[in-house]
Amino acid sequence: QVQLVESGGGLVQPGGSLKLSCAASIIIFGMIPMGWYRQVPGKQRELVATITSDGSTVYSDSVKGRFTISRDNAKSTVNLQMNSLKTEDTAVYYCNTEFSQFGRPEIYWGQGTQVTVSS
């Protein structure tokens, strides 16, 4: 069973920085894409950033230039460095992976970590 465990959330002032980490328990970590999503109450979960197995990245327009996604395949972790945080970045952040194994789609989510940006 794949497990994704996020850490690093918390309270930060506007303009500050936080780094989220996600530890994955999956042997094929180096071969699968990883992503970060976020959700606020009453709204749909939205994509923040993704990174492929070869390191290609995609960012939502709202975080481009402020957030950086990275991965460490040796440690089976994916990180999200968040700089210049805004109050609208407040959300629960989820680690995600989606891939196909034996022709069957596999989707996994972490439990989420709260990020609150407030003065």
Side-chain angles (χ1 to χ4, degrees):
Q1 181 70 16
V2 175
Q3 284 193 319
L4 303 177
V5 180
E6 302 100 334
S7 61
L11 173 65
V12 63
Q13 292 187 340
S17 298
L18 274 178
K19 183 177 180 179
L20 306 183
S21 293
C22 172
S25 63
I26 179 168
I27 293 175
I28 60 170
F29 179 84
M31 301 170 61
I32 60 175
M34 298 295 299
W36 286 96
Y37 287 72
R38 66 187 181 186
Q39 188 171 24
V40 299
K43 291 191 174 182
Q44 284 193 333
R45 195 169 295 186
E46 66 172 5
L47 172 71
V48 175
T50 61
I51 185 167
T52 64
S53 57
D54 64 359
S56 298
T57 58
V58 173
Y59 296 93
S60 68
D61 288 342
S62 60
V63 307
K64 201 173 295 182
R66 299 187 298 120
F67 290 11
T68 302
I69 189 171
S70 62
R71 64 189 298 158
D72 185 336
N73 290 337
K75 296 181 179 180
S76 296
T77 58
V78 59
N79 302 310
L80 186 69
Q81 178 66 46
M82 306 185 293
N83 299 328
S84 303
L85 283 160
K86 305 175 181 180
T87 55
E88 52 263 42
D89 294 318
T90 296
V92 178
Y93 284 71
Y94 296 91
C95 182
N96 160 274
T97 185
E98 300 180 30
F99 57 93
S100 179
Q101 190 169 42
F102 308 119
R104 185 180 63 206
E106 304 275 355
I107 302 175
Y108 297 97
W109 296 93
Q111 82 285 354
T113 185
Q114 176 70 47
V115 171
T116 302
V117 185
S118 175
S119 55

